Amino acid sequence: MLRRLRRRAVLVPPDVTIRMSRDPTDDKFLECAVDGAADYVVSADADLLTLREVRGIPIVDAPTFWRRLTEHHPQP
């Protein structure tokens, strides 16, 4: 599964600047998500989770992401 994920991963050097998180070291993740047009930001970091979204991109924890993923793509 990890190999499949690596094959589908896209590295995004951000061209945008975002200053939203209470922890400024977390802003780089938001920048990558926005510049890479991410569908979700998945995190366990409380500073990011309290934001709830960045420019329309939901910020969720792993269980929430997994639940949404399986709701939209049920296993056969």
Side-chain angles (χ1 to χ4, degrees):
M1 182 163 172
L2 187 55
R3 283 186 186 175
R4 199 173 341 157
L5 181 60
R6 284 185 182 154
R7 280 184 276 170
R8 297 188 68 181
V10 176
L11 298 178
V12 178
D15 288 331
V16 298
T17 301
I18 294 177
R19 300 291 177 251
M20 289 179 64
S21 179
R22 297 181 297 200
D23 179 355
T25 64
D26 290 339
D27 287 328
K28 62 184 168 260
F29 303 112
L30 303 175
E31 293 167 351
C32 287
V34 168
D35 220 29
D39 294 320
Y40 289 91
V41 173
V42 182
S43 179
D45 185 286
D47 293 322
L48 291 176
L49 290 169
T50 58
L51 295 173
R52 300 179 59 128
E53 73 172 39
V54 57
R55 297 192 187 172
I57 301 168
I59 302 172
V60 298
D61 60 13
T64 300
F65 175 71
W66 187 253
R67 189 170 42 257
R68 290 184 185 181
L69 187 65
T70 56
E71 286 171 358
H72 290 92
H73 302 285
Q75 296 296 319

